[in-house]
Amino acid sequence: MKTVLIPLPKTVDLHPGACPADAPVTRRTDPALGPEAYRMELSPAGIVLTGGSDRGVLWAEQTLLQLRLGSGGALPCGVIEDEPAYPWRSFHLDCSRHFFSLQEVKKMVRAAACFKLNRLHWHISDDQGWRIESKAFPKLHEIGSQRAGDTFGNFDSHEPYGGYYTRDEVRELVTYCKELGIEVVPEIDVPGHVSAILAAYPDLSCTGAPVAVQTEGGIFPDILCAGKESVFAFLEALLDDVLELFPGDTVHIGGDEAPKTRWKECPHCQERMRQEGLENLQQLQGWFLNRVAAFLKTRDKRAVVWNEAAYGGNLDPELLLQFWFQDRDGQVRRHAEKGGQVILSPIRSAYCDYPHAAITLENVYTQDLAPEDLPAGAVLGTECLAWAEYLRTDRELERKAWPRYAASAEAGWCGPRREDFPAFQARLRELFPLFAQLGVDATEPDSWNPASPGAQAEMEAFKENFTPELMARYRSAQQDI
Ligand SMILES: [Zn+2]
């Protein structure tokens, strides 16, 4: 009897004989194993799952689930020993650009747990919507969660669009994730991507001018003022309000795509730079994020930021840096050389909202988790992402994420002991019925091949979102970041 598993376990030692499908299961923990490691013993008498922690036991359960699916009844006998190469294996959901129901988010979480992904990077605040109920600042969900239309890419609707998760729904999700071994990392993106926050509280920008919740994608000039003390008082009260809901150890505070257009002209921001002895606007951004992260540290939380946060060269190395795009002047490497840790999610191997012909399943699976320019040990792990500008329905989200999220999961779990891509693909084809069992509409083998008609049609449809005008606007906004 053979085993077909994703991620591939470290060792699988099969013995003759069979373990009955209804064999009793014993669960226990042994701290001598690593925190996410597990050992599974299958014999005619029963199944013993031993985890280094409760999470290790949960991962053993997922392996057992996959084994049962593949065996169609009796299980093999033998011993499986397993542990991850990287402790950070996150998956990302953008619920700001388009709002996905709690039920859909839970379905994605269930599927992610099956592949031993261990953190949900939950993008709940952006220009196009604030998505959780706020006790401290109710206008965030009352005003910031609603927009006047949906004009992303080639889609054009002037119907009001919106939605947010109540605090009870957030608690339900966090509990659900915990039961499956997943920690939720909420992202409150600052100082840029804040149109939804400014629509509710315009005084937090440099100019205080009214801002609308955006109805299209892009980069917008109004960001949080770095000079006004009221901005930090707001953020601290907001984070305390949000942290009531998220007991995990990490919070993402964004730091990406923040144009300096307003900061350049703002007397408050200029005064701040003088007071703090900051040499340029990039350093002002580093200072801003360091200050928010220092506040989080008083609450025993680590902060994660996107790699633009390091452009000023003054980012505190205690912040986790998520690399996605344009490592200007080797700042990611410099951050790592100062002892900082890095989560790798470069567009070319992590952005699963792109068509399969652009970011292939193979790109995701074969991603480089040990780049030469980073010191050994700097890489904490990996993330797979699905930005939702052009994902409006559950089906679109699922078909983009799966099976690429499973490929990312195996990359992070197996690291350097990954198989070659054809071997992974063969296992994935055999395990494909698992997606239906999880209720997930995954892209079929015929269509994940980038040369296939399905992948080519997906690519053509995607390209229609990008008019020359939109691309010009995007490039121009990039100049000021
Ligand atoms: Zn300002």
Side-chain angles (χ1 to χ4, degrees), residues 204-207 223-228 231 262-270 272 284:
L204 299 172
S205 75
C206 291
T207 67
I223 68 174
L224 297 180
C225 179
K228 294 179 182 172
V231 167
R262 303 286 187 249
W263 285 7
K264 227 182 289 179
E265 309 290 332
C266 171
H268 306 288
C269 288
Q270 294 301 318
R272 177 76 75 191
L284 183 58

Side-chain angles (χ1 to χ4, degrees), residues 1-20:
M1 199 180 288
K2 65 173 181 169
T3 59
V4 181
L5 296 165
I6 293 176
L8 191 67
K10 199 168 181 183
T11 63
V12 178
D13 183 13
L14 297 185
H15 309 153
C19 171

Side-chain angles (χ1 to χ4, degrees), residues 92-101 105 121-132 144-147 149-150 152 161-165 187-189 193-197 213-217 220 386-391:
H92 157 279
L93 293 177
D94 172 8
C95 295
S96 173
R97 273 56 177 273
H98 284 97
F99 180 73
F100 296 96
S101 69
V105 174
H121 173 183
W122 200 22
H123 193 74
I124 47 175
S125 172
D126 211 303
D127 295 301
Q128 297 83 5
W130 171 273
R131 297 289 176 226
I132 62 170
S145 74
Q146 305 294 321
R147 63 181 188 239
D150 188 341
F152 291 84
Y161 182 98
Y164 65 88
Y165 307 95
E187 181 180 358
I188 310 299
D189 198 345
H193 283 297
V194 290
S195 299
I197 295 176
V213 181
Q214 305 294 339
T215 59
E216 55 186 32
F220 302 92
W387 296 103
E389 282 93 336
Y390 311 113
L391 306 180

Side-chain angles (χ1 to χ4, degrees), residues 108-295:
M108 292 291 285
V109 166
R110 177 71 198 86
C114 189
F115 297 98
K116 305 184 177 75
L117 289 166
N118 65 0
R119 289 179 188 266
L120 162 59
H121 173 183
W122 200 22
H123 193 74
I124 47 175
S125 172
D126 211 303
D127 295 301
Q128 297 83 5
W130 171 273
R131 297 289 176 226
I132 62 170
E133 181 186 1
S134 173
K135 216 166 46 178
F137 301 102
K139 284 186 196 168
L140 285 176
H141 62 268
E142 290 164 6
I143 294 173
S145 74
Q146 305 294 321
R147 63 181 188 239
D150 188 341
T151 52
F152 291 84
N154 63 8
F155 193 79
D156 193 15
S157 160
H158 296 278
E159 290 292 312
Y161 182 98
Y164 65 88
Y165 307 95
T166 65
R167 292 176 85 81
D168 280 346
E169 285 177 323
V170 175
R171 286 190 194 94
E172 182 182 332
L173 177 68
V174 169
T175 303
Y176 183 75
C177 286
K178 188 169 193 296
E179 286 167 2
L180 288 166
I182 291 174
E183 183 174 313
V184 184
V185 180
E187 181 180 358
I188 310 299
D189 198 345
V190 294
H193 283 297
V194 290
S195 299
I197 295 176
L198 295 177
Y201 298 98
D203 289 348
L204 299 172
S205 75
C206 291
T207 67
V211 170
V213 181
Q214 305 294 339
T215 59
E216 55 186 32
I219 296 169
F220 302 92
D222 286 297
I223 68 174
L224 297 180
C225 179
K228 294 179 182 172
E229 273 307 297
S230 57
V231 167
F232 297 94
F234 168 84
L235 285 177
E236 290 176 9
L238 175 63
L239 285 167
D240 273 339
D241 190 46
V242 166
L243 292 179
E244 272 183 24
L245 301 170
F246 297 98
D249 61 12
T250 309
V251 179
H252 206 305
I253 53 171
D256 61 321
E257 295 184 327
K260 309 299 184 291
T261 325
R262 303 286 187 249
W263 285 7
K264 227 182 289 179
E265 309 290 332
C266 171
H268 306 288
C269 288
Q270 294 301 318
E271 177 58 22
R272 177 76 75 191
M273 286 174 69
R274 274 191 293 277
Q275 278 172 0
E276 299 294 333
L278 303 169
E279 291 165 16
N280 53 49
L281 294 164
Q282 296 299 348
Q283 289 203 346
L284 183 58
Q285 165 144 323
W287 175 87
F288 185 110
L289 293 161
N290 284 343
R291 179 163 169 179
V292 178
F295 170 76

